[in-house]
Amino acid sequence: MAVAMETEGENHHIVKALNLLRSRICDTGFIFKDSSDGNYSKLKFMISSSVAEACNNSILLLGPRGSGKLAVLDLVIQDLLLQYPDSISVVRLSGLLHSDDISAFKEIARQLCMEHQLLFSKAASFDDNSQFMVAVLKECGLAHKSVIFILDEFDLFAQGKQRLLYSLLDAMQSVSSQAVVIGISCRLDADQLLEKRVRSRFSHRKLLFLPPSIENSQRLLAHMLTLPLESGLPYDYAVEFNKRVQNIIEDKKFKEIFNKYLNFDSSVKHLLRFL
């Protein structure tokens, strides 16, 4: 009976440890807030200073798919909404859905109407929606409220006449407006796609998201799989668990397999799938 109780207790520890590790894999904050590139801290400083100082800003987040651009941005937005609950509105567009100017302005108008509890008109024209956006930006500026525009697949917005980008950045030249435009793209030359009139209004702030090196990937692996000694699990169990994890990571055969996996795709997203 004592053996059965001991086995049951050990199974409980295993389940608790597994649940902790699985929750980490789904927690982007645990992965990116203390990452070696410091992009989380840099981005949070850029946006929060724009909100606090009531100034306009435009930023590009560049890097290959799976490198954590959107995950880090979402973390920063979550933190800032808690820090400035009544001072921020967020408008999200995707180049895959809203790359043509008419649908982009319509979607901006729809989201701004939802945010400010206004009636949205589906029949509004391109000019109506454009003028509405400029008017809301001015009103938000007077109310000391920042509007954050997130343009995913930014390079797709840089095609054609770029009227959306020009209108957004031009409206931000006004003293009364208060906005931040954040473009996300896997094209490292995304800013070079901008027309001269758009580029002249852009702040040229860029954050580069690169896949971690093999050494940093190994450190991230150990960081993800190491149990905290104050996790509610028995101390001896956590120490022994961590010792075995370290032995696996340092094993020559495992390193060969891990390195081959990273050579195929070294992005953080791919590493999480591996875990």
Side-chain angles (χ1 to χ4, degrees), residues 15-38:
V15 171
K16 191 170 182 180
L18 276 173
N19 288 339
L20 175 63
L21 297 180
R22 284 171 179 154
S23 68
R24 281 181 178 178
I25 293 171
C26 300
D27 181 8
T28 51
F30 185 83
I31 301 159
F32 291 109
K33 280 191 175 181
D34 298 316
S35 62
S36 56
D37 59 19

Side-chain angles (χ1 to χ4, degrees), residues 226-259:
T226 301
L227 292 178
L229 299 180
E230 298 176 358
S231 59
L233 290 162
Y235 179 84
D236 292 341
Y237 178 86
V239 169
E240 180 62 24
F241 184 96
N242 293 342
K243 183 181 175 184
R244 294 190 185 190
V245 166
Q246 197 60 38
N247 289 340
I248 291 171
I249 291 173
E250 292 175 357
D251 180 73
K252 185 179 177 182
K253 184 68 177 173
F254 174 81
K255 281 185 176 180
E256 288 177 6
I257 295 169
F258 190 60
N259 290 349

